[in-house]
Amino acid sequence: MAKLAMLFDLTKCAGCYGCVVACKMQNGTRPGINYNAVNVLEWGEYPKANQKFLSTLCMHCENPACVEICPTGASYKTENGTVLVDYEKCIGCGLCVNECPYEQRHLVEDDITSFPGVVAPYEEESVKRLKVVEKCTFCNERISEGLKPACVHNCPGKCRIFGDVEDPESEISKYIASHNAINIEGTSIYYVIPENMDRDLLPLAAVMSASASAKPAESKSSVGKYAVPAGIAVAGVAAVAVGVGISRKKSSKGGDNDNE
Amino acid sequence: MGRKVSRRDFLKGSAAAGATLVAQPWSFVFPENVLAADSDAPVTYGYSFCDMCNTVPKCGVKATIQDNKIIKVESRENYPNSPLCSKGIASLQELYDPHRLLYPMKRTTPKGSSDPGWERITWDEALKTIAENLNKIKKEYGAEKVMFYAGDPKEGRPAIRRLAYTFGSPNYGCESSTCAKAPQLTTQIVYGRPTMGSAPSDKTKVCLIWSSNPAHSGPYGFHKLLASKEKGVKFIVVDPKVTPTVSSLADIHLQLRPGSDGALALGFAHVIIRDGLYDKEFVENWTHGFEEYAEYVKEFTPEKVEEITRVPASLIEEAAILWATDRPSTWIGSACGTAHSSNSHNNHRAIVSLIGLVGNYDVEGAVTMPTESISFNDSATTAFLREADLFPKIKDKRVDTDYFPVWAEIENTIQANRLVEYVDTGAIRAMVMVGGNAMMWPQSQLYQKAIEKMDFSVAADYYIRPWTHNFMDMVLPAAMCYERMAALGNFGRTIYLREPIVEPAGEARSDWRTCFEIGNALGFTKEFWGGGEKCEEEGIKEVLRTLNVPVTIDDLRAHPEGFNIPTEGPPKFKKYELGLLRKDGKPGFQTPSGKMEFTSSLCEKHGFDALPVYKEPLESPVTTPDLAKEYPLILNTGARLPFYTHSKLRDLPWLNQFMPEPVVFLNPKDAEERGLKKGDSVEISTQHGSVIMTAGITNIVMPGVIDVYHGWAKANINLIVPRHFDPILGFPAFKEGLCQVKKA
């Protein structure tokens, strides 16, 4: 059985936002809704300052809290591991939005388009989605045709890798092994991070290395709300505006690299 | 349309029936093929290339089309420049921006009025008015009084240049006289040929990226640099900022004070010559002025250079030795980073001299020249531009010779940065412009006034841009990349033809057609193929006819994947030994001395320093300490953002979300000293004025330096930069003024 996953190589991401815009185009998302975000991370001071970019999107969890809480069965997990929303069943109650530990679900509340009063050709389908919850689908309509998700296809740094982690011959499986990637436990998301970057900057409480040789996950809260700072999804965009890193809760070991 | 219910009707309905929709959401099945879900129109695909940034050639686009509308765009596979960046994807949003200019407009109020009173006119009226005005000025004052100018995007350049020379004016200029001509002309002065550097190849061991951030200025090529790093290429990156290029690639980061690039390069040379690491064979046989140069760099010890540049001496040593010993090493230059200094040319010359010094010129894996190049010139040909037959007869009437004699001797496009003076002295009385924005010049308000003062001016653009156009007489609607043909996309020996894939919006026309129509209206019927819908294609045919390789438009049409013209043999290197770099076919370089020039014969001839002498910025803590007391921060402007191109793209919601307001970035230390927090509204002031921006606080900016993006109509930083120009080539000092920041 396939298990589709996405990997972000933070050592390569240049924070160009190509993925965010490709996603908006592909999905015709309304103003203020981004299925994915690029968060600016910073640590260290001149002359040893570091900056990296953390991409976030729906983590396509193994046991998705959103699916569990959905009262109508609109949110569901497919056989290939992706988590989808059936808009026909969705009543827009928003329970899943609150439940998602990664804040990656978006209730379409306002009937607005990019340019007020105008439906552009790229929005003609998406304006039908109103009062429903939407989110990253791994570009289900593209991958079902054998294409890569829009954000992967249009990534200038080629730092996003998508594929089946159950297939040891897939590009993503090989990349995970060769680059000592970190899996966000219980999700379909992997990160490769620079050596000098604190893992606590990732959107997680518990991380585990996908490669067997790596050190075991540190014991942190692995249930309920994760150590994702409130507002991480929106902070990605807002933070860009003033170029600061995302805020985060103090890690259990107490970091010195708070980005406030 | 062939649709039973239009989705626009649906939206109108849904807005009205919002309350119902809450309880009964719109029935929608997902996932399905959303593109053709309820439409009778077939889906087709079109291929184009983007024009959203200032890179040439552009990135490939695959468009999904339905009902003559593009509903999606994505990166075109198997195209030389790919993937698309955020700007490329957002081209779709610009295409359907309801604020686009769709019709020719003329002003109805006198110049100087706050409202131009734009009124729609026909193309016929527009062309007739333009022709009458230009011909009147030509008759009364001479054709050279009309300036022709190409801004951004650059695709209109060949057409407007042909128009200028055909009309009889040598005064064609473009926005590269503010930036990219700096590395091009400087390398031409030193080596006889322009280059902006070479990306690493399989043979490359070290890559020196100097004041450039290709992660953001050329995202399509960044994955190739990352791949080179994975293969083991070592990167030295020179930049005042910890850019993504630095944090993803740099093995050695030389974080210098803006404007001190020349000193750093001379420090490299000091170490290399001191340690005998230069290429003695190359220096002895192929260079001019080495002894003077070697003598001059003696004073640039790493310790002294540390003092000037703030780069630690140990890092300078390490980088210089790596550059000199682990060869072949290549260099990637910047179109603006080093250009925007009051010592621009000499700083840049000091940098590019390092290439020859260690024998890295035209060696495989180093900075190379093409072996069998196709004779493209400015995306066209010299014959198409009329540069060979008409320009020589009129060049003595160019306006810039007295100001920039070195430039005028080697470059046929004019240095446009003195437009204010050209207008004030009556040398220029009218302007035809494609693209362009007066915000690009230092103390831009002077340029607004200069444009306003002209007898007549007209621009073609996608939008009415009040900052510039409100001072003009007429604005013409320009067709976007998806709506137009020219110019060609050329990558080495592969050429791409772009066909329009959708109809132009409103009455928009390509810059090529607009220029040809103006030429036709001016009476040059034959030269511009009588104007009309087909003239653009005739122009392309003329370009192809005058290339040095056999290729027709039919060949290009038959090869939408790119028409490749094979080379006769493998690439050759050290072409200076083979007589392939000089026009006369003799060995050597196309310079006055016939050699690579450590001391420039041309600069010397015109009374400038022959050596690449380092001079402090005209405004700096060193040069103007008193000024620095009041304005202690260095104002570094113009570093690239990945989602905006200069003054453009600000109003596209997909991009605007990333920086909706103008931001000034400060180091936390500087912010703390001033009691500033992120998001504070702050005033940036210089001795020339002040603007208000939002504070961004980041460690990636050096202490003592602030980083400001340019081109904000609501907070144009160029209003308050010094109006200093490099004396030799005329580039503006956008990266070295002094300023202060305080809470607004």
Side-chain angles (χ1 to χ4, degrees), chain A residues 244-260:
Chain A
V244 296
I246 58 168
S247 59
R248 63 179 186 85
K249 288 175 184 170
K250 292 282 182 193
S251 71
S252 55
K253 55 182 183 183
D256 57 358
N257 51 355
D258 200 312
N259 282 285
E260 287 287 12

Side-chain angles (χ1 to χ4, degrees), chain A residues 9-34 42-53 76 84-92 111-132 137 140-142 144-145 147-148 152-159 175 179 236-245 247 259-260, chain B residues 1 3 7-8 10-11 14-15 18 21-23 25-38 45 62 69-77 82-87 89-90 92-94 96-99 215-216 219-224 226-227 230 242-245 247-249 253 255 310 642-643 651-655 657-661 663 665 667 669 678-679 694-703:
Chain A
D9 189 339
L10 269 55
T11 68
K12 295 181 173 176
C13 176
C16 76
Y17 304 92
C19 51
V20 180
V21 179
C23 176
K24 283 204 79 71
M25 182 276 305
Q26 179 66 30
N27 296 292
T29 51
R30 298 186 191 253
I33 295 179
N34 290 307
E42 279 190 21
W43 66 95
E45 288 181 4
Y46 170 83
K48 296 281 173 200
N50 287 277
Q51 187 187 61
K52 285 289 166 191
F53 303 91
Y76 63 104
L84 301 177
V85 180
D86 182 340
Y87 298 119
E88 204 169 50
K89 291 183 182 166
C90 180
I91 56 170
D111 192 359
I112 52 175
T113 55
S114 291
F115 296 99
V118 176
V119 180
Y122 50 82
E123 293 170 320
E124 290 197 356
E125 286 299 327
S126 56
V127 292
K128 294 172 183 173
R129 301 196 300 267
L130 188 63
K131 310 297 175 191
V132 294
T137 68
N140 194 52
E141 73 286 4
R142 282 181 61 92
S144 60
E145 290 176 12
L147 302 170
K148 290 174 182 170
V152 177
H153 181 65
N154 294 297
C155 174
K158 304 205 172 179
C159 62
Y175 204 94
H179 289 73
V237 171
V240 175
V242 289
V244 296
S247 59
N259 282 285
E260 287 287 12
Chain B
M1 292 280 284
R3 296 182 186 189
R7 290 164 196 148
R8 285 188 177 78
F10 163 76
L11 187 74
S14 74
L21 279 161
V22 176
W26 171 250
S27 172
F28 187 78
V29 182
F30 188 87
E32 269 192 7
N33 186 346
V34 295
L35 304 180
D38 65 349
Y45 298 99
K62 177 185 177 186
K69 289 197 204 81
I70 301 178
I71 55 173
K72 282 190 171 44
V73 293
E74 61 186 289
S75 305
R76 179 173 178 180
E77 287 182 325
S82 183
L84 290 174
C85 69
S86 55
K87 303 183 290 292
I89 302 285
L92 183 56
Q93 203 156 39
E94 185 164 82
Y96 295 115
D97 185 342
H99 304 109
H216 287 173
Y220 60 88
F222 194 56
H223 64 92
K224 294 175 191 165
L226 292 165
E230 288 211 327
V242 186
T243 64
T245 299
S247 51
S248 298
L249 293 176
H253 175 208
Q255 196 168 5
R310 302 184 192 169
F643 40 79
D651 298 319
L652 301 184
W654 288 349
L655 299 177
Q657 61 171 328
F658 303 123
M659 190 186 274
E661 296 297 324
V663 178
F665 291 103
N667 185 279
K669 283 194 181 113
K678 67 179 180 189
T694 303
I697 295 168
T698 171
N699 263 308
I700 71 166
V701 174
M702 271 177 106

Side-chain angles (χ1 to χ4, degrees), chain B residues 83-256:
Chain B
L84 290 174
C85 69
S86 55
K87 303 183 290 292
I89 302 285
S91 61
L92 183 56
Q93 203 156 39
E94 185 164 82
L95 181 67
Y96 295 115
D97 185 342
H99 304 109
R100 263 186 74 185
L101 174 64
L102 302 181
Y103 306 100
M105 306 290 254
K106 71 171 179 189
R107 75 178 305 129
T108 55
T109 61
K111 297 244 188 92
S113 313
S114 56
D115 178 4
W118 293 118
E119 185 179 287
R120 180 179 167 182
I121 54 172
T122 64
W123 268 103
D124 283 346
E125 183 186 339
L127 292 168
K128 189 164 168 274
T129 308
I130 295 166
E132 279 171 5
N133 278 283
L134 298 192
N135 276 332
K136 182 167 176 271
I137 289 165
K138 184 177 184 174
K139 193 176 166 196
E140 289 179 19
Y141 306 102
E144 70 278 8
K145 304 292 180 195
V146 182
M147 175 164 141
F148 294 80
Y149 188 81
D152 203 281
K154 299 178 170 72
E155 291 185 12
R157 285 180 179 185
I160 192 167
R161 194 166 171 185
R162 180 181 172 91
L163 175 63
Y165 298 162
T166 307
F167 177 68
S169 173
N171 294 314
Y172 157 75
C174 67
E175 39 83 65
S176 288
S177 71
T178 308
C179 47
K181 285 288 178 195
Q184 290 167 355
L185 296 183
T186 301
T187 44
Q188 190 173 334
I189 285 167
V190 178
Y191 296 96
R193 283 199 174 197
T195 176
M196 293 174 71
S198 301
S201 77
D202 288 344
K203 303 271 188 208
T204 306
K205 291 188 177 155
V206 173
C207 179
L208 171 61
I209 300 180
W210 200 297
S211 290
S212 181
N213 178 19
H216 287 173
S217 59
Y220 60 88
F222 194 56
H223 64 92
K224 294 175 191 165
L225 295 175
L226 292 165
S228 295
K229 184 170 175 69
E230 288 211 327
K231 283 182 197 155
V233 173
K234 294 231 167 36
F235 283 84
I236 305 165
V237 184
V238 180
D239 204 303
K241 226 163 92 173
V242 186
T243 64
T245 299
V246 170
S247 51
S248 298
L249 293 176
D251 294 286
I252 300 176
H253 175 208
L254 305 178
Q255 196 168 5
L256 83 177

Side-chain angles (χ1 to χ4, degrees), chain B residues 44-48 61-65 70 72 76 482 501:
Chain B
T44 58
Y45 298 99
Y47 295 87
S48 186
V61 188
K62 177 185 177 186
T64 306
I65 303 166
I70 301 178
K72 282 190 171 44
R76 179 173 178 180
Y482 302 111
I501 54 175

Side-chain angles (χ1 to χ4, degrees), chain B residues 12 90 117 120 129 142 163 168-169 182 209 287 346 354 372 386 410 414 462 465 511 521 585 617 630 686 728:
Chain B
K12 282 177 204 154
R120 180 179 167 182
T129 308
L163 175 63
S169 173
I209 300 180
T287 70
N346 278 345
L354 299 173
E372 295 174 49
R386 313 296 306 266
I410 58 171
I414 64 162
Y462 300 150
R465 302 183 195 273
D511 289 342
E630 199 178 342
T686 71
I728 304 176

